[in-house]
Amino acid sequence: MSDVKTPMLDVRDLHAFYGKSHILQGVTFTVGEGEIVSLLGRNGVGRSTTAHAIMGTVDRHGSVLFRGEELINLVPHDIARKGLGIVVENRDIFPTLTVRQNLLLGVKNIRKAGRWSMEDMFELFPNLRERADVMAGVLSGGEQQMLTMCRTLMGDPDLIIIDEPTEGLAPKIVAQVASLLEEIARRGVSILLIEQKLTIALKISHRIYVMGHGHIVFEGVPDDLIHDESIRREWLEV
Amino acid sequence: MLEITIFSLLNGTVYGLLLFMLSSGLTLIFSMMGILNFAHASFYMLGAYFGYTISSHIGFWPGLIFAPLIVGVMGALLERYALRHVHKHGHVAELIFTFGLAFLLEELTQFFWGTDQQAYKGPSLLDFPLFTLFDANFPAYKAFMLLISIGIFLGLLLVLTRTRVGLIIQAAITHPNMVNMLGHNVPFVFMATFGVGTALAGLAGTIAGPVMGTYPGMAHDLGSIVFVVVVFGGLGSLAGALVASLMIGIIQTFAVGLNYSVSDFLVTIGVSFPADHFLHDIWTMTLPQVAPLIPYLMLILILIFRPMGLFGTRET
Ligand SMILES: Nc1ncnc2c1ncn2[C@@H]1O[C@H](COP(=O)(O)OP(=O)(O)OP(=O)(O)O)[C@@H](O)[C@H]1O
Ligand SMILES: [Mg+2]
């Protein structure tokens, strides 16, 4: 399939726009097969916009190669069907549908079994099984976060973009999210994790990128970032 | 009185479900696009005209199938090749576009078929009284309309709540981007929903044309009532559209059937006014005379007391 040397996701000189505002100004990074890569940065630097630019839901130009194939001119549902999945930051569950229906809507192809079944999801999160037939809108914030992640996994992505999964969650739930991320990686899914805090990113990432205003300002392994206090002070810590 | 009650209920239900066939499509399309499609009732008119033309060549039944299909395809193409582009220029542009389209379609209809009422007839197969009650007939054709409307309603309900496509539609109405990113072809779903919505309007026209008349003003006449129905029921709410359709259908039919005026009522409680009293014309106005006003009266009342409509969630 793909050459070992070509990264799975190869984003080059990506620009994105909301109307007239030029948000991404040449973003370049890669995610390798089976890798967990974190994209860190302060509020408003353009991390979510990067995710949406990859998925095709904002005006963009540049290059997004997925397993060597150019995605920049594709529409969102075709991009998703190439094997990408996204968990957006605002926990966009479908509130008037049940938990089970939300999960079913994550499935892209009903005729093909993927890495994840609904049973897997219920095993990982017994809460979701208990509440399988209630409206998703009444779930707690933590449960909604689990549901959005599980919904995207039901579509069997080979690379999943997860935008701030721990924002506003209690430490116990943050730990649950971290162990799900590790489970995802164990099943051979690459992860692009978008975070603001270093907590879980430093622990689980293979590589880390830090974003400034509209471009990448740091690239390295977690150890590099731990030792580079100036980068942390300038671009991360408030 | 019993006779009037039974027949008004039956006829009102037939009329109400017909209104629902139009308002369900209109309200679904509103939920997706965020605008009222002023041309919606024009597809009802086209359904009747196409039904008439096809029936006069190859019979009523082929017309019943093909007229709504043609109208649905026209609707889908309209969404795909016109509205989707107009949408980029905002809601006002869309509204004006559908408004203009309604006029265009009415003019075109007059151009091709003329301004006269067409002699569109129901099938001879159904040309008999289904039953006679108190010397009044209930035509079999009306029962047929009732059956089709109920079938459509149940079908719509099943598809929307029990199928995968229905789930995708429900989710896409509120979260189109998210559904799109999950790998579902939302633009296609929108086009198809628009097509089905207009096909239902067309079907309503095809079956109503023979009883309610097939003439160029029919879109305008029923369109304004359908507009009232969706606002009254709550924009975007299918349940609201159903309740409001039946309410308006039955209330209006009752009003037409009850030949009473305020003065009749006053006489029964022993009050009477001289014939030259300055309010005499109002006292003696009968219910059938005010029947056409009732929907608009209901519209004004709901806008004052519950602007989001019976089942609506947003302010109109
Ligand atoms: N829909 C939008 N329309 C216009 N501008 C937007 C929109 N969404 C985001 N922006 C702007 O784009 C910039 C980048 O936003 P983005 O959401 O990508 O930031 P972020 O890094 O994800 O930070 P955070 O999630 O903490 O807000 C911000 O200045 C924001 O105001
Ligand atoms: Mg963000």
Side-chain angles (χ1 to χ4, degrees), chain A residues 52 55 57 76-77 80-81 86 88 92-95 97 101 104-108 110 151, chain B residues 161-162 164 167-168 170-172 174-175 177-188:
Chain A
H52 283 279
M55 295 306 294
T57 49
H77 54 268
R81 283 173 181 272
I86 183 171
V88 297
D92 239 337
I93 48 146
F94 308 127
L97 302 182
Q101 289 172 328
L104 284 174
L105 277 178
V107 179
K108 289 171 196 163
I110 39 172
R151 184 180 63 189
Chain B
T161 59
R162 294 276 177 275
R164 187 170 156 82
L167 287 185
I168 294 175
Q170 286 190 56
T174 48
H175 301 74
N177 266 344
M178 190 62 241
V179 177
N180 206 198
M181 287 189 290
L182 289 173
H184 306 296
N185 191 342
V186 171
F188 180 81

